[in-house]
Amino acid sequence: MAVLAAGALMLAAGCSSQEGMESSAGQGASSPAGSPAASSGRTASPSASRPAADLPPAKGSVKVVSTLTEGLESPWGLAELPGGDLLVGSRDKGTITRVDAKSGKKTRVGTVPGVAPDGEGGLLGIAVSPDFGTDHLVYAYFTTASDNRIARMLYDENGTTPGQQLGAPDTILRGIPKGTIHNGGRIAFGPDHMLYAGTGETGDDGRAQDKSSLAGKILRMTPDGEPLHGNPQADSVVYSYGHRNVQGLAWDSHKQLWASEFGQDTWDELNRIVPGGNYGWPDVEGTAHKAGFRDPVAQWKTSEASPSGIAFVKGSVWMAGLRGERLWRIPLSGEAEKEPLAAPQSFLEGKYGRLRTVLAAGGDKLWLVTSETDTRGTPGPGDDKILVAQVR
C-alpha cells in the first residue's frame, strides 16, 4: 500500500471564531486540491507491530444506513449506556433524553439543574461512568451563570416519574472559565478509566498559555475530579495546554489520545495529545515547525471543517464538521498510529447539514448527530437527528 508524505496530509479547513456560522455549499468526497506541503519531508510508514494487512485502506467509504431518531433540539453530548441505548443532551434546554438503540424511541430522563445557556454555552458533553453497572452515574459538562463545570448525577433507570430520573448534581470540578464563545465541553472516560475534558479559552487568548487557568486546555482527572499520577503537575488537572477550543476527544487502538480543535481564521486541527504538550495557541495556528510547540497531525482551512466530535473506528479517526457540513476520515498508520496513512477524505458533504457529534457504535458503525437547531443551522424536516453510518 502506497503511503504519502506526511506533508501532503496537512489539509486545508478551519473555522471562524464564531464556530462556523456560515454553511459550506460545495460538494465533494476527497481531500481538497492545493493543500500546503509540510517542510519536514517525514513519511508515514507502517509499524512493524502492525502488519500491512491490518492497516486501514488509504481510501474509505461511508454509507448512512438509517436514521435512529429525529426531532431533537440543540443536541450536543452523546453517550452510550451498557446495553446499547444512548443518552443525548440538549445544549439549550439542559435536558438529557434516552434513545432506544433499536426503535429510536425517546424518553426524557431529566433536566440538569443550573444550566445557563449563553451563545455556545449550555449543556455540552455527557459521559457514562465506566462503572455504570454498579454506580449508575452520568457525568455532564455544562455552563452555569458563573462558570463551566463538571458534575455527576445518579441515574435511576427504574424510576417511575417521567423526566425525573436524575439525582441532584454532585459537582466534581468547578471554575472552568465561561464565555459566549469557546467553552469547549467534550468529556470522555479514557482507557485508564480517568475522566478527560476539553475546554476553550472563551475568546481570551492569554488563558490558553496560562497553566494556572483551566481554559484552553485538555484536563485529566479521577472520577472524583482530582488530579492524579501521570499528569504533568501532580497538583493540577491540566494535561495539555495552548488550545483554542477543543471539541473532540478519542483514543486509538494503542490508547493514544487524539483531539479536534477550532482554529481562528486559517487552520482547524487534529492533534495527537501528549502529557504536558503545548499546542501553540495563540502564538501559532496550524503547522508552524516552531520550537516548543506541537504541530497538528492534520489541518483544514476555514470552509471545510469547524471540527467537533471525533471517534476512532476501523483504524481511522472520524471527525464531524460543523461549518464544513461533512464527515472526515483520517486513516492512521506508523508506529503506534502516530501519523496518517494517507490524505484525509471527506464524505456526506452538505447532505445532512452541520455534524456535531460522532460516536463509535460497534463494529463498522458510527452514530452521527446533526446540529441544525442550535441557531446556526437551517433546520429541515426531522432535524435534529441521530444517524447510523456504516464505514470502512
Short mmCIF file of all heavy atoms in Angstrom, two decimals, residues 316-381:
data_model
loop_
_atom_site.label_atom_id
_atom_site.label_comp_id
_atom_site.label_asym_id
_atom_site.label_seq_id
_atom_site.Cartn_x
_atom_site.Cartn_y
_atom_site.Cartn_z
N SER A 316 -9.25 4.32 11.72
CA SER A 316 -9.27 5.72 11.30
C SER A 316 -9.92 6.60 12.36
O SER A 316 -10.78 6.15 13.12
CB SER A 316 -10.04 5.90 9.99
OG SER A 316 -9.44 5.19 8.93
N VAL A 317 -9.50 7.87 12.40
CA VAL A 317 -10.22 8.88 13.17
C VAL A 317 -11.30 9.46 12.25
O VAL A 317 -11.03 9.83 11.11
CB VAL A 317 -9.28 10.00 13.64
CG1 VAL A 317 -10.08 11.15 14.26
CG2 VAL A 317 -8.27 9.46 14.66
N TRP A 318 -12.52 9.52 12.77
CA TRP A 318 -13.65 10.11 12.04
C TRP A 318 -14.03 11.40 12.74
O TRP A 318 -14.23 11.43 13.95
CB TRP A 318 -14.83 9.14 12.02
CG TRP A 318 -14.48 7.84 11.33
CD1 TRP A 318 -13.88 6.75 11.89
CD2 TRP A 318 -14.67 7.53 9.95
NE1 TRP A 318 -13.70 5.77 10.95
CE2 TRP A 318 -14.17 6.22 9.74
CE3 TRP A 318 -15.22 8.23 8.87
CZ2 TRP A 318 -14.22 5.59 8.51
CZ3 TRP A 318 -15.27 7.60 7.63
CH2 TRP A 318 -14.77 6.30 7.45
N MET A 319 -14.11 12.49 11.98
CA MET A 319 -14.27 13.82 12.55
C MET A 319 -15.49 14.52 11.95
O MET A 319 -15.59 14.67 10.73
CB MET A 319 -13.01 14.64 12.29
CG MET A 319 -12.99 16.00 12.96
SD MET A 319 -11.42 16.88 12.64
CE MET A 319 -11.78 17.55 11.00
N ALA A 320 -16.39 14.96 12.83
CA ALA A 320 -17.59 15.67 12.39
C ALA A 320 -17.25 17.12 12.08
O ALA A 320 -16.45 17.75 12.78
CB ALA A 320 -18.66 15.60 13.47
N GLY A 321 -17.87 17.67 11.03
CA GLY A 321 -17.64 19.06 10.65
C GLY A 321 -18.92 19.87 10.75
O GLY A 321 -19.97 19.47 10.23
N LEU A 322 -18.85 21.03 11.39
CA LEU A 322 -20.00 21.92 11.52
C LEU A 322 -20.12 22.82 10.29
O LEU A 322 -20.94 22.58 9.41
CB LEU A 322 -19.87 22.74 12.80
CG LEU A 322 -20.06 21.94 14.09
CD1 LEU A 322 -19.55 22.70 15.31
CD2 LEU A 322 -21.53 21.58 14.28
N ARG A 323 -19.29 23.83 10.19
CA ARG A 323 -19.36 24.68 9.01
C ARG A 323 -19.10 23.88 7.74
O ARG A 323 -19.72 24.12 6.70
CB ARG A 323 -18.34 25.82 9.12
CG ARG A 323 -18.39 26.76 7.93
CD ARG A 323 -17.43 27.92 8.07
NE ARG A 323 -17.46 28.73 6.88
CZ ARG A 323 -16.69 29.78 6.67
NH1 ARG A 323 -15.82 30.14 7.60
NH2 ARG A 323 -16.77 30.47 5.56
N GLY A 324 -18.21 22.91 7.82
CA GLY A 324 -17.90 22.09 6.65
C GLY A 324 -19.01 21.14 6.24
O GLY A 324 -18.99 20.62 5.13
N GLU A 325 -19.96 20.89 7.13
CA GLU A 325 -21.11 20.03 6.85
C GLU A 325 -20.69 18.70 6.22
O GLU A 325 -21.26 18.27 5.21
CB GLU A 325 -22.11 20.75 5.95
CG GLU A 325 -22.71 21.99 6.58
CD GLU A 325 -23.82 22.59 5.76
OE1 GLU A 325 -24.07 22.11 4.63
OE2 GLU A 325 -24.45 23.56 6.22
N ARG A 326 -19.73 18.04 6.85
CA ARG A 326 -19.26 16.77 6.31
C ARG A 326 -18.59 15.95 7.39
O ARG A 326 -18.34 16.42 8.50
CB ARG A 326 -18.28 17.02 5.15
CG ARG A 326 -16.97 17.67 5.58
CD ARG A 326 -16.19 18.23 4.40
NE ARG A 326 -16.76 19.50 3.97
CZ ARG A 326 -16.27 20.22 2.95
NH1 ARG A 326 -15.23 19.76 2.26
NH2 ARG A 326 -16.82 21.37 2.62
N LEU A 327 -18.27 14.72 7.03
CA LEU A 327 -17.57 13.80 7.91
C LEU A 327 -16.20 13.52 7.30
O LEU A 327 -16.09 13.12 6.14
CB LEU A 327 -18.36 12.49 8.05
CG LEU A 327 -17.74 11.40 8.93
CD1 LEU A 327 -17.75 11.84 10.40
CD2 LEU A 327 -18.49 10.09 8.76
N TRP A 328 -15.15 13.73 8.09
CA TRP A 328 -13.78 13.49 7.64
C TRP A 328 -13.27 12.16 8.16
O TRP A 328 -13.53 11.77 9.30
CB TRP A 328 -12.85 14.61 8.12
CG TRP A 328 -12.99 15.88 7.36
CD1 TRP A 328 -13.74 16.97 7.71
CD2 TRP A 328 -12.36 16.21 6.13
NE1 TRP A 328 -13.61 17.96 6.77
CE2 TRP A 328 -12.77 17.52 5.78
CE3 TRP A 328 -11.49 15.52 5.27
CZ2 TRP A 328 -12.34 18.16 4.62
CZ3 TRP A 328 -11.06 16.16 4.12
CH2 TRP A 328 -11.48 17.46 3.80
N ARG A 329 -12.52 11.46 7.33
CA ARG A 329 -11.84 10.22 7.70
C ARG A 329 -10.34 10.43 7.60
O ARG A 329 -9.82 10.87 6.57
CB ARG A 329 -12.25 9.08 6.76
CG ARG A 329 -11.47 7.76 6.96
CD ARG A 329 -11.86 6.77 5.88
NE ARG A 329 -11.24 5.46 6.07
CZ ARG A 329 -10.11 5.06 5.48
NH1 ARG A 329 -9.45 5.87 4.66
NH2 ARG A 329 -9.63 3.85 5.70
N ILE A 330 -9.62 10.13 8.70
CA ILE A 330 -8.17 10.25 8.73
C ILE A 330 -7.60 8.88 9.08
O ILE A 330 -7.59 8.48 10.26
CB ILE A 330 -7.70 11.32 9.76
CG1 ILE A 330 -8.37 12.67 9.50
CG2 ILE A 330 -6.18 11.46 9.70
CD1 ILE A 330 -9.62 12.91 10.32
N PRO A 331 -7.17 8.09 8.09
CA PRO A 331 -6.64 6.74 8.38
C PRO A 331 -5.27 6.84 9.03
O PRO A 331 -4.42 7.64 8.61
CB PRO A 331 -6.55 6.10 6.99
CG PRO A 331 -6.37 7.25 6.05
CD PRO A 331 -7.12 8.42 6.67
N LEU A 332 -5.05 6.05 10.08
CA LEU A 332 -3.82 6.15 10.84
C LEU A 332 -2.86 5.02 10.52
O LEU A 332 -3.26 3.90 10.25
CB LEU A 332 -4.12 6.16 12.34
CG LEU A 332 -4.98 7.32 12.85
CD1 LEU A 332 -5.12 7.22 14.36
CD2 LEU A 332 -4.40 8.66 12.45
N SER A 333 -1.58 5.35 10.57
CA SER A 333 -0.53 4.38 10.30
C SER A 333 0.66 4.73 11.16
O SER A 333 0.58 5.50 12.10
CB SER A 333 -0.16 4.43 8.80
OG SER A 333 0.91 3.57 8.52
N GLY A 334 1.81 4.15 10.83
CA GLY A 334 3.05 4.48 11.53
C GLY A 334 3.12 3.81 12.88
O GLY A 334 2.19 3.16 13.35
N GLU A 335 4.25 3.99 13.55
CA GLU A 335 4.47 3.39 14.85
C GLU A 335 3.43 3.91 15.83
O GLU A 335 3.28 5.11 16.04
CB GLU A 335 5.87 3.72 15.35
CG GLU A 335 6.20 3.10 16.70
CD GLU A 335 7.58 3.48 17.17
OE1 GLU A 335 8.29 4.19 16.43
OE2 GLU A 335 7.94 3.08 18.28
N ALA A 336 2.70 2.98 16.44
CA ALA A 336 1.66 3.33 17.40
C ALA A 336 0.66 4.32 16.82
O ALA A 336 0.10 5.15 17.52
CB ALA A 336 2.26 3.88 18.69
N GLU A 337 0.42 4.24 15.51
CA GLU A 337 -0.58 5.06 14.84
C GLU A 337 -0.35 6.55 15.09
O GLU A 337 -1.29 7.31 15.31
CB GLU A 337 -1.98 4.63 15.27
CG GLU A 337 -2.29 3.21 14.89
CD GLU A 337 -3.57 2.69 15.48
OE1 GLU A 337 -3.92 3.12 16.59
OE2 GLU A 337 -4.21 1.85 14.85
N LYS A 338 0.90 6.99 15.02
CA LYS A 338 1.21 8.38 15.34
C LYS A 338 0.92 9.34 14.20
O LYS A 338 0.94 10.54 14.39
CB LYS A 338 2.68 8.50 15.74
CG LYS A 338 3.02 7.85 17.08
CD LYS A 338 4.49 8.03 17.41
CE LYS A 338 4.84 7.39 18.75
NZ LYS A 338 6.27 7.51 19.08
N GLU A 339 0.69 8.84 13.01
CA GLU A 339 0.54 9.72 11.87
C GLU A 339 -0.42 9.12 10.86
O GLU A 339 -0.74 7.92 10.92
CB GLU A 339 1.91 9.95 11.22
CG GLU A 339 2.61 8.65 10.86
CD GLU A 339 4.11 8.85 10.65
OE1 GLU A 339 4.66 9.87 11.10
OE2 GLU A 339 4.70 7.98 10.02
N PRO A 340 -0.93 9.92 9.93
CA PRO A 340 -1.86 9.39 8.93
C PRO A 340 -1.17 8.45 7.94
O PRO A 340 0.01 8.57 7.65
CB PRO A 340 -2.36 10.65 8.23
CG PRO A 340 -2.09 11.76 9.17
CD PRO A 340 -0.83 11.38 9.87
N LEU A 341 -1.96 7.53 7.43
CA LEU A 341 -1.51 6.64 6.38
C LEU A 341 -1.66 7.31 5.02
O LEU A 341 -0.87 7.08 4.11
CB LEU A 341 -2.36 5.36 6.42
CG LEU A 341 -2.29 4.42 5.22
CD1 LEU A 341 -0.94 3.73 5.20
CD2 LEU A 341 -3.41 3.40 5.28
N ALA A 342 -2.68 8.12 4.89
CA ALA A 342 -2.97 8.77 3.61
C ALA A 342 -3.72 10.06 3.89
O ALA A 342 -4.08 10.36 5.02
CB ALA A 342 -3.82 7.83 2.74
N ALA A 343 -3.95 10.83 2.83
CA ALA A 343 -4.63 12.11 2.98
C ALA A 343 -6.04 11.92 3.51
O ALA A 343 -6.74 10.98 3.12
CB ALA A 343 -4.69 12.81 1.62
N PRO A 344 -6.49 12.78 4.42
CA PRO A 344 -7.88 12.72 4.89
C PRO A 344 -8.86 12.81 3.72
O PRO A 344 -8.57 13.41 2.69
CB PRO A 344 -7.99 13.94 5.80
CG PRO A 344 -6.59 14.15 6.31
CD PRO A 344 -5.72 13.82 5.14
N GLN A 345 -10.00 12.22 3.93
CA GLN A 345 -11.03 12.12 2.89
C GLN A 345 -12.35 12.55 3.49
O GLN A 345 -12.66 12.22 4.64
CB GLN A 345 -11.10 10.67 2.41
CG GLN A 345 -11.97 10.40 1.22
CD GLN A 345 -11.95 8.92 0.83
OE1 GLN A 345 -11.34 8.09 1.52
NE2 GLN A 345 -12.61 8.57 -0.26
N SER A 346 -13.16 13.30 2.73
CA SER A 346 -14.43 13.79 3.26
C SER A 346 -15.61 13.09 2.62
O SER A 346 -15.56 12.64 1.47
CB SER A 346 -14.55 15.30 3.05
OG SER A 346 -14.70 15.61 1.67
N PHE A 347 -16.70 13.01 3.41
CA PHE A 347 -17.91 12.34 2.97
C PHE A 347 -19.14 13.13 3.41
O PHE A 347 -19.06 13.94 4.32
CB PHE A 347 -18.00 10.93 3.59
CG PHE A 347 -16.86 10.03 3.23
CD1 PHE A 347 -15.74 9.95 4.06
CD2 PHE A 347 -16.88 9.25 2.08
CE1 PHE A 347 -14.68 9.12 3.75
CE2 PHE A 347 -15.82 8.42 1.76
CZ PHE A 347 -14.72 8.35 2.58
N LEU A 348 -20.26 12.87 2.77
CA LEU A 348 -21.57 13.40 3.17
C LEU A 348 -21.64 14.91 3.06
O LEU A 348 -22.47 15.55 3.72
CB LEU A 348 -21.94 12.97 4.59
CG LEU A 348 -21.83 11.47 4.92
CD1 LEU A 348 -22.20 11.23 6.40
CD2 LEU A 348 -22.70 10.63 4.01
N GLU A 349 -20.82 15.50 2.26
CA GLU A 349 -20.74 16.96 2.21
C GLU A 349 -22.09 17.59 1.87
O GLU A 349 -22.66 17.35 0.81
CB GLU A 349 -19.70 17.40 1.18
CG GLU A 349 -19.49 18.90 1.14
CD GLU A 349 -18.43 19.31 0.13
OE1 GLU A 349 -17.64 18.46 -0.29
OE2 GLU A 349 -18.42 20.50 -0.24
N GLY A 350 -22.60 18.39 2.79
CA GLY A 350 -23.85 19.11 2.58
C GLY A 350 -25.10 18.27 2.62
O GLY A 350 -26.21 18.81 2.55
N LYS A 351 -24.98 16.95 2.77
CA LYS A 351 -26.15 16.08 2.66
C LYS A 351 -27.03 16.12 3.89
O LYS A 351 -28.27 16.05 3.80
CB LYS A 351 -25.70 14.65 2.39
CG LYS A 351 -26.83 13.72 2.01
CD LYS A 351 -26.33 12.39 1.50
CE LYS A 351 -27.50 11.50 1.07
NZ LYS A 351 -27.03 10.19 0.54
N TYR A 352 -26.42 16.21 5.07
CA TYR A 352 -27.18 16.20 6.31
C TYR A 352 -26.98 17.48 7.11
O TYR A 352 -27.44 17.57 8.25
CB TYR A 352 -26.79 14.99 7.16
CG TYR A 352 -27.12 13.68 6.47
CD1 TYR A 352 -26.14 12.97 5.79
CD2 TYR A 352 -28.42 13.18 6.48
CE1 TYR A 352 -26.44 11.77 5.14
CE2 TYR A 352 -28.74 11.99 5.83
CZ TYR A 352 -27.74 11.30 5.17
OH TYR A 352 -28.04 10.12 4.52
N GLY A 353 -26.31 18.46 6.55
CA GLY A 353 -26.07 19.71 7.24
C GLY A 353 -24.90 19.61 8.21
O GLY A 353 -23.99 18.80 8.06
N ARG A 354 -24.95 20.44 9.22
CA ARG A 354 -23.89 20.50 10.22
C ARG A 354 -23.85 19.21 11.05
O ARG A 354 -24.90 18.75 11.50
CB ARG A 354 -24.12 21.70 11.14
CG ARG A 354 -23.99 23.05 10.47
CD ARG A 354 -24.77 24.14 11.20
NE ARG A 354 -24.47 24.21 12.61
CZ ARG A 354 -23.46 24.92 13.13
NH1 ARG A 354 -22.66 25.60 12.33
NH2 ARG A 354 -23.25 24.94 14.43
N LEU A 355 -22.66 18.67 11.25
CA LEU A 355 -22.49 17.47 12.06
C LEU A 355 -21.78 17.85 13.34
O LEU A 355 -20.68 18.39 13.32
CB LEU A 355 -21.70 16.41 11.29
CG LEU A 355 -22.35 15.90 10.00
CD1 LEU A 355 -21.46 14.85 9.34
CD2 LEU A 355 -23.74 15.33 10.25
N ARG A 356 -22.40 17.53 14.48
CA ARG A 356 -21.88 17.95 15.78
C ARG A 356 -21.08 16.86 16.49
O ARG A 356 -20.01 17.12 17.03
CB ARG A 356 -23.06 18.36 16.68
CG ARG A 356 -22.73 18.54 18.15
CD ARG A 356 -21.86 19.74 18.41
NE ARG A 356 -22.56 20.97 18.12
CZ ARG A 356 -21.99 22.18 18.23
NH1 ARG A 356 -20.73 22.29 18.60
NH2 ARG A 356 -22.68 23.27 17.94
N THR A 357 -21.61 15.65 16.53
CA THR A 357 -21.02 14.60 17.35
C THR A 357 -20.94 13.31 16.55
O THR A 357 -21.86 12.99 15.78
CB THR A 357 -21.85 14.38 18.63
OG1 THR A 357 -21.83 15.59 19.40
CG2 THR A 357 -21.30 13.25 19.47
N VAL A 358 -19.86 12.57 16.74
CA VAL A 358 -19.70 11.25 16.14
C VAL A 358 -19.24 10.31 17.24
O VAL A 358 -18.40 10.65 18.06
CB VAL A 358 -18.72 11.28 14.95
CG1 VAL A 358 -17.38 11.87 15.35
CG2 VAL A 358 -18.51 9.90 14.37
N LEU A 359 -19.84 9.11 17.29
CA LEU A 359 -19.55 8.16 18.36
C LEU A 359 -19.51 6.75 17.78
O LEU A 359 -20.35 6.39 16.95
CB LEU A 359 -20.65 8.24 19.44
CG LEU A 359 -20.46 7.40 20.70
CD1 LEU A 359 -19.28 7.91 21.52
CD2 LEU A 359 -21.74 7.42 21.55
N ALA A 360 -18.50 5.98 18.20
CA ALA A 360 -18.39 4.60 17.76
C ALA A 360 -19.63 3.82 18.19
O ALA A 360 -20.05 3.89 19.35
CB ALA A 360 -17.13 3.96 18.32
N ALA A 361 -20.20 3.05 17.26
CA ALA A 361 -21.43 2.31 17.53
C ALA A 361 -21.22 0.80 17.51
O ALA A 361 -22.18 0.04 17.51
CB ALA A 361 -22.51 2.70 16.52
N GLY A 362 -19.95 0.37 17.49
CA GLY A 362 -19.64 -1.05 17.47
C GLY A 362 -19.38 -1.55 16.06
O GLY A 362 -20.09 -1.16 15.11
N GLY A 363 -18.34 -2.38 15.89
CA GLY A 363 -18.01 -2.91 14.58
C GLY A 363 -17.65 -1.82 13.61
O GLY A 363 -16.77 -0.99 13.88
N ASP A 364 -18.34 -1.77 12.47
CA ASP A 364 -18.05 -0.76 11.45
C ASP A 364 -19.10 0.33 11.41
O ASP A 364 -19.33 0.96 10.38
CB ASP A 364 -17.93 -1.42 10.07
CG ASP A 364 -19.21 -2.13 9.64
OD1 ASP A 364 -20.15 -2.21 10.47
OD2 ASP A 364 -19.28 -2.60 8.49
N LYS A 365 -19.74 0.59 12.55
CA LYS A 365 -20.82 1.57 12.60
C LYS A 365 -20.44 2.81 13.42
O LYS A 365 -19.65 2.75 14.36
CB LYS A 365 -22.07 0.95 13.22
CG LYS A 365 -22.67 -0.23 12.46
CD LYS A 365 -23.27 0.18 11.15
CE LYS A 365 -24.25 -0.88 10.62
NZ LYS A 365 -23.65 -2.22 10.51
N LEU A 366 -21.04 3.92 13.03
CA LEU A 366 -20.93 5.19 13.75
C LEU A 366 -22.32 5.76 13.98
O LEU A 366 -23.22 5.58 13.16
CB LEU A 366 -20.14 6.23 12.93
CG LEU A 366 -18.65 6.06 12.70
CD1 LEU A 366 -18.18 7.13 11.71
CD2 LEU A 366 -17.88 6.16 14.00
N TRP A 367 -22.48 6.47 15.11
CA TRP A 367 -23.62 7.34 15.28
C TRP A 367 -23.18 8.76 14.94
O TRP A 367 -22.14 9.23 15.40
CB TRP A 367 -24.13 7.31 16.72
CG TRP A 367 -24.89 6.07 17.08
CD1 TRP A 367 -26.07 5.63 16.54
CD2 TRP A 367 -24.53 5.12 18.09
NE1 TRP A 367 -26.46 4.47 17.15
CE2 TRP A 367 -25.54 4.11 18.10
CE3 TRP A 367 -23.47 5.01 18.98
CZ2 TRP A 367 -25.51 3.03 18.95
CZ3 TRP A 367 -23.44 3.91 19.85
CH2 TRP A 367 -24.44 2.95 19.82
N LEU A 368 -23.99 9.46 14.17
CA LEU A 368 -23.73 10.85 13.80
C LEU A 368 -24.88 11.71 14.29
O LEU A 368 -26.05 11.39 14.04
CB LEU A 368 -23.60 11.00 12.28
CG LEU A 368 -22.55 10.15 11.57
CD1 LEU A 368 -22.65 10.37 10.06
CD2 LEU A 368 -21.16 10.50 12.06
N VAL A 369 -24.56 12.82 14.96
CA VAL A 369 -25.58 13.74 15.45
C VAL A 369 -25.51 15.02 14.64
O VAL A 369 -24.46 15.67 14.55
CB VAL A 369 -25.37 14.06 16.95
CG1 VAL A 369 -26.45 15.02 17.44
CG2 VAL A 369 -25.39 12.78 17.77
N THR A 370 -26.63 15.41 14.03
CA THR A 370 -26.68 16.65 13.27
C THR A 370 -26.87 17.84 14.22
O THR A 370 -27.24 17.68 15.38
CB THR A 370 -27.81 16.62 12.23
OG1 THR A 370 -29.07 16.60 12.91
CG2 THR A 370 -27.69 15.39 11.33
N SER A 371 -26.60 19.04 13.69
CA SER A 371 -26.65 20.25 14.53
C SER A 371 -27.21 21.41 13.73
O SER A 371 -26.52 22.38 13.42
CB SER A 371 -25.25 20.59 15.06
OG SER A 371 -25.30 21.63 16.01
N GLU A 372 -28.50 21.32 13.42
CA GLU A 372 -29.17 22.36 12.65
C GLU A 372 -30.07 23.24 13.50
O GLU A 372 -30.54 24.28 13.04
CB GLU A 372 -29.99 21.73 11.51
CG GLU A 372 -29.14 21.10 10.42
CD GLU A 372 -28.36 22.14 9.63
OE1 GLU A 372 -28.97 23.10 9.12
OE2 GLU A 372 -27.13 22.00 9.55
N THR A 373 -30.34 22.84 14.75
CA THR A 373 -31.29 23.59 15.59
C THR A 373 -30.58 24.37 16.69
O THR A 373 -31.20 24.71 17.71
CB THR A 373 -32.32 22.63 16.22
OG1 THR A 373 -31.63 21.64 17.00
CG2 THR A 373 -33.14 21.93 15.15
N ASP A 374 -29.29 24.66 16.50
CA ASP A 374 -28.52 25.37 17.53
C ASP A 374 -28.41 26.85 17.24
O ASP A 374 -27.53 27.53 17.76
CB ASP A 374 -27.13 24.76 17.66
CG ASP A 374 -26.28 24.98 16.42
OD1 ASP A 374 -26.85 25.36 15.36
OD2 ASP A 374 -25.05 24.79 16.49
N THR A 375 -29.29 27.40 16.41
CA THR A 375 -29.37 28.80 15.98
C THR A 375 -28.41 29.12 14.85
O THR A 375 -28.46 30.23 14.29
CB THR A 375 -29.15 29.83 17.11
OG1 THR A 375 -27.74 29.87 17.47
CG2 THR A 375 -29.98 29.50 18.35
N ARG A 376 -27.52 28.21 14.48
CA ARG A 376 -26.56 28.49 13.41
C ARG A 376 -26.78 27.64 12.17
O ARG A 376 -26.07 27.78 11.19
CB ARG A 376 -25.14 28.30 13.93
CG ARG A 376 -24.78 29.38 14.94
CD ARG A 376 -23.39 29.27 15.47
NE ARG A 376 -23.10 30.39 16.34
CZ ARG A 376 -21.98 30.53 17.04
NH1 ARG A 376 -21.05 29.59 16.96
NH2 ARG A 376 -21.79 31.57 17.81
N GLY A 377 -27.75 26.77 12.24
CA GLY A 377 -28.05 25.94 11.09
C GLY A 377 -29.33 26.37 10.42
O GLY A 377 -29.93 27.40 10.74
N THR A 378 -29.77 25.56 9.46
CA THR A 378 -31.03 25.79 8.76
C THR A 378 -31.84 24.52 8.90
O THR A 378 -31.70 23.58 8.10
CB THR A 378 -30.79 26.11 7.27
OG1 THR A 378 -29.89 27.23 7.16
CG2 THR A 378 -32.10 26.44 6.57
N PRO A 379 -32.67 24.42 9.93
CA PRO A 379 -33.39 23.17 10.19
C PRO A 379 -34.27 22.74 9.03
O PRO A 379 -34.96 23.56 8.40
CB PRO A 379 -34.23 23.49 11.43
CG PRO A 379 -33.55 24.65 12.07
CD PRO A 379 -32.98 25.45 10.94
N GLY A 380 -34.20 21.44 8.73
CA GLY A 380 -35.07 20.84 7.74
C GLY A 380 -36.02 19.87 8.42
O GLY A 380 -36.03 19.75 9.65
N PRO A 381 -36.82 19.16 7.63
CA PRO A 381 -37.75 18.20 8.22
C PRO A 381 -37.03 17.15 9.07
O PRO A 381 -36.05 16.56 8.65
CB PRO A 381 -38.39 17.54 6.97
CG PRO A 381 -38.24 18.56 5.89
CD PRO A 381 -36.94 19.25 6.17
#
